[in-house]
Amino acid sequence: MTNWNRAIMWVLLAVAAVLCPVGAKAQATTSDGTPLPSLLRNVYYGKYHFLDKQSGDTLIMLVLNTITVYPPERFRNSAEEQFYWRTVRDVKRTLPYAKLINSTLQETYEYIETYKTKKEKEDYLRRFEKNVFNQYKPEMKQMTRGQGKMLIKLINRETNQNSYNIVKAFLGTFRAGFWQTFGRFFGVNMKTGFDPQHDRNDALIERICIRVEQGTI
């Protein structure tokens, strides 16, 4: 494993150790059988029953989620097409982890707050960090440089905050600063933002994410 792969693995594990619950329930699984969230969003977000006045029957009304339809992709050359499909691959690989972090963020905050003392919180985080490092290390080792950067970006998309702030909230400024400095040395920025409104690459990633979530790609 190269120095870069070691670096990205440890930076990503630092984030995973804060938020990824061991043995969380989900559909997809990692290589060791650990469940991950499904990438597909729910087809509908609500339903209600009503009485049909003419027939007297009770009917159900489903309120569907918004479906976004994009025009067919057009590429100027083969290099652009290869970049697109490489981005699709990286999004599909890393989006489940970003969603896992998002789904457990509030739960983790609330759980830590049940401890009465700072020492109890720190002891829990140390145990939790060790367990998650052991569990997710094989997965992070297999990620490419592009997938590592994609995961950092998608964490921002899902949680609406960057990885640096997440680690800082749980492990403190010193350790967040350490992982940020360590990552930057190897080209990984935990403070990476996500702005599809103004950044062309982020707009492409957002488009791919939506299509993946809708099951159209």
Side-chain angles (χ1 to χ4, degrees):
M1 183 166 50
T2 65
N3 287 337
W4 189 92
N5 283 336
R6 289 191 181 93
I8 188 63
M9 179 188 72
W10 287 108
V11 171
L12 294 178
L13 283 173
V15 180
V18 172
L19 294 173
C20 291
V22 177
K25 294 182 179 180
Q27 295 180 1
T29 60
T30 63
S31 58
D32 67 348
T34 303
L36 289 172
S38 170
L39 290 177
L40 299 178
R41 65 175 63 173
N42 293 330
V43 177
Y44 65 92
Y45 66 85
K47 62 181 179 179
Y48 61 91
H49 296 81
F50 66 95
L51 183 66
D52 182 72
K53 294 182 179 180
Q54 294 183 346
S55 65
D57 295 332
T58 300
L59 306 178
I60 185 173
M61 175 69 74
L62 298 179
V63 184
L64 300 178
N65 279 316
T66 301
I67 301 297
T68 304
V69 179
Y70 293 105
E73 299 293 344
R74 294 182 178 180
F75 307 104
R76 292 174 294 183
N77 50 57
S78 60
E80 190 176 83
E81 182 175 4
Q82 290 175 4
F83 173 79
Y84 176 82
W85 290 112
R86 186 166 60 249
T87 303
V88 171
R89 178 202 64 189
D90 292 346
V91 167
K92 287 186 174 182
R93 175 71 188 278
T94 58
L95 188 56
Y97 289 95
K99 288 185 177 295
L100 179 60
I101 288 173
N102 178 58
S103 66
T104 59
L105 179 59
Q106 293 300 327
E107 180 181 349
T108 306
Y109 269 122
E110 294 172 0
Y111 185 75
I112 292 178
E113 289 303 314
T114 62
Y115 289 97
K116 297 181 180 180
T117 67
K118 181 179 179 180
K119 184 178 184 303
E120 288 177 326
K121 295 178 182 179
E122 292 176 346
D123 289 343
Y124 166 78
L125 285 174
R126 277 195 293 269
R127 295 193 305 271
F128 194 51
E129 185 177 21
K130 180 179 179 180
N131 290 336
V132 177
F133 262 65
N134 291 334
Q135 180 171 350
Y136 286 92
K137 183 177 179 180
E139 295 298 315
M140 299 304 175
K141 285 173 63 176
Q142 296 176 13
M143 284 191 180
T144 65
R145 178 174 183 173
Q147 289 167 354
K149 290 185 175 182
M150 181 66 72
L151 177 56
I152 296 296
K153 188 172 286 289
L154 292 184
I155 288 172
N156 188 293
R157 175 185 186 261
E158 294 296 317
T159 66
N160 200 31
Q161 57 183 309
N162 60 53
S163 300
Y164 174 84
N165 287 335
I166 294 174
V167 175
K168 178 181 176 181
F170 285 92
L171 303 181
T173 303
F174 176 78
R175 293 185 70 182
F178 168 79
W179 287 117
Q180 170 66 358
T181 302
F182 184 70
R184 289 292 286 171
F185 185 76
F186 291 92
V188 183
N189 185 5
M190 293 173 62
K191 296 182 179 181
T192 296
F194 186 73
D195 186 9
Q197 298 296 325
H198 301 97
D199 186 284
R200 182 177 180 181
N201 286 336
D202 287 356
L204 174 64
I205 293 171
E206 177 64 17
R207 176 170 175 163
I208 292 173
C209 285
I210 292 175
R211 292 194 61 190
V212 168
E213 291 168 341
Q214 293 180 165
T216 58
I217 191 174

